[in-house]
Amino acid sequence: FSDQNLEESLARVGNMMDNESWANARELLETLIDEGTYFPDPENRHRLQAHVCRELGDEEAEKASLLTIVSHQADQLPAVRRLLDLAQADGNWAEVAQWSDAWLAIDPLGATPWRARLEAHLALDEPTVARAAGETLLRLDPPDRAAIHFQLASLLEPSEYSAARRHVLQA
């Protein structure tokens, strides 16, 4: 595609998306992706494809597009956030851990990735990492402090009874 053809094609995709013609937009995007190279935003065809696939309910294709984005641009928080959502919905705790860590590499001050990291490492039976995530999450002053203290108490009860008791009292 020449630059002009690419711009025209992307404009057509935009019009199709505006008109909610998702299948046609997907078809044109697949052609553009197959014949071109990866472009970062704002010409990112993979971002558009992920959006179209989400509208069509094709999570596997959406995930593939998002994975392409993060493999080229590790700082794309919207793509990482969506990959985390998909992993949580699937209950895939290894991927939840992976995408929460990727989110933390981009923005370490959000409570959401720390909460996801805590849940993932609890599910993966990795208490040391889960404890560190829970303690960090508490420092961020989340609204559900009692629940986090209780999770930490449950985690610590078998090995550190006094620390678990403190968390129960704080809960």
Side-chain angles (χ1 to χ4, degrees):
F1 280 94
S2 69
D3 288 343
Q4 185 176 2
N5 287 343
L6 178 60
E7 289 178 24
E8 290 172 6
S9 295
L10 288 174
R12 286 193 0 237
V13 167
N15 288 335
M16 290 175 191
M17 291 173 71
D18 290 344
N19 294 324
E20 298 183 7
S21 181
W22 305 116
N24 292 333
R26 181 179 186 166
E27 185 178 319
L28 181 54
L29 280 167
E30 286 174 356
T31 302
L32 292 172
I33 288 169
D34 289 343
E35 295 182 5
T37 59
Y38 185 89
F39 290 105
D41 288 327
E43 295 89 19
N44 192 325
R45 293 165 272 186
H46 292 87
R47 181 181 48 80
L48 296 173
Q49 185 182 43
H51 179 80
V52 167
C53 290
R54 184 174 185 180
E55 292 295 333
L56 290 170
D58 187 350
E59 284 186 4
E60 288 303 313
E62 177 189 8
K63 186 176 177 180
S65 294
L66 294 170
L67 289 170
T68 300
I69 293 169
V70 299
S71 72
H72 286 87
Q73 297 176 272
D75 65 341
Q76 291 299 302
L77 186 56
V80 170
R81 183 180 297 135
R82 180 63 181 150
L83 285 165
L84 178 60
D85 290 344
L86 291 171
Q88 287 175 316
D90 290 344
N92 186 331
W93 298 112
E95 286 187 9
V96 170
Q98 174 188 357
W99 298 119
S100 64
D101 287 347
W103 184 335
L104 291 169
I106 299 166
D107 177 17
L109 297 179
T112 301
W114 287 107
R115 185 173 288 108
R117 189 169 203 247
L118 170 63
E119 292 171 5
H121 290 284
L122 284 172
L124 294 170
D125 196 29
E126 296 173 344
T128 305
V129 179
R131 180 180 183 178
E135 290 172 352
T136 302
L137 182 57
L138 285 172
R139 286 188 210 110
L140 295 173
D141 198 26
D144 59 341
R145 292 180 66 78
I148 296 163
H149 278 295
F150 186 77
Q151 283 179 309
L152 286 171
S154 299
L155 177 69
L156 294 171
E157 191 269 329
S159 60
E160 297 180 45
Y161 184 76
S162 61
R165 185 176 172 176
R166 272 193 311 273
H167 281 290
V168 167
L169 291 173
Q170 289 174 311

